[in-house]
Amino acid sequence: MTQYDRQTKIVIALGSNLGDCSANLEQAVRKMEAFFGAPLVCSSVYRSEPVEVRDQPWFLNQVAYFETDAPLPPLVILKNLKAIEAQMGRIPGARYGPRLIDLDLLFYGDWVLETANLTVPHPKLEERSFVLMPLVEILPDFIHPRTGIPLTEILEQNRPRLARCERMVQ
């Protein structure tokens, strides 16, 4: 059995804190679906306080995934996520600062990958309530490939020190 003989979950985090944040998330999902040629399973939208750079508007965040039996290489996915950000008007700015849209590759199936441009699983996801909460909502049984720990357990272990995050009423 090769890596392409089974479905691979491609999991992406979305965030926005400039402009019409809800519309930004919706537009990013549509663009990713068009690019990947597959519908995305999306979490609810969450409102979260900023981390790292605190003096900025709160974010709207979401996690989405799709499954494929013929995944594109991770660096191709990253390149296209960055292209979608640019198409939507994201201008490079301060790291962790305000942004129109932010798209991060969180998981690429059960791969563990470290390159100069990409680390998968995303290296900071255990520190981010705005990633863990929507992940647990849509993938409660997913096992973190690097640690072997279920996401639900990672969320519970880290909850006391995570930034505020709340699920939006839809």
Side-chain angles (χ1 to χ4, degrees):
M1 180 158 113
T2 70
Q3 69 189 38
Y4 298 110
D5 291 335
R6 61 187 170 84
Q7 293 287 95
T8 299
K9 277 187 176 59
I10 310 295
V11 186
I12 300 159
L14 301 85
S16 176
N17 74 339
L18 295 177
D20 184 339
C21 298
S22 293
N24 295 341
L25 297 179
E26 290 171 15
Q27 182 181 5
V29 167
R30 286 193 308 274
K31 286 182 173 293
M32 286 188 293
E33 287 177 334
F35 171 73
F36 295 123
L40 274 75
V41 175
C42 296
S43 72
S44 301
V45 173
Y46 289 74
R47 182 174 176 269
S48 63
E49 70 178 320
V51 295
E52 308 285 344
V53 176
R54 312 258 312 143
D55 187 22
Q56 61 180 314
W58 280 46
F59 282 83
L60 291 188
N61 298 95
Q62 189 171 35
V63 169
Y65 78 90
F66 69 98
E67 295 184 82
T68 180
D69 57 2
L72 296 166
L75 290 171
V76 171
I77 292 174
L78 176 66
K79 177 182 174 187
N80 284 281
L81 293 176
K82 297 306 165 198
I84 290 169
E85 289 177 348
Q87 290 168 9
M88 290 182 62
R90 180 169 175 180
I91 298 167
R95 187 163 174 84
Y96 305 118
R99 60 209 94 141
L100 188 71
I101 191 70
D102 185 36
L103 304 173
D104 289 321
L105 180 59
L106 299 176
F107 295 110
Y108 185 91
D110 58 4
W111 283 36
V112 175
L113 173 71
E114 291 187 32
T115 72
N117 299 319
L118 178 64
T119 301
V120 175
H122 192 283
K124 291 194 175 250
L125 73 90
E126 292 100 337
E127 304 167 15
R128 310 290 199 230
S129 58
F130 57 84
V131 172
L132 286 171
M133 290 173 70
L135 270 172
V136 167
E137 175 191 332
I138 62 172
L139 294 169
D141 300 322
F142 196 82
I143 305 294
H144 192 295
R146 186 180 303 275
T147 65
I149 300 172
L151 294 177
T152 51
E153 198 173 312
I154 292 170
L155 174 60
E156 288 312 309
Q157 287 174 355
N158 291 299
R159 193 181 294 273
R161 60 182 171 273
L162 295 175
R164 288 181 290 168
C165 181
E166 57 199 30
R167 188 174 174 174
M168 301 289 291
V169 177
Q170 298 177 327

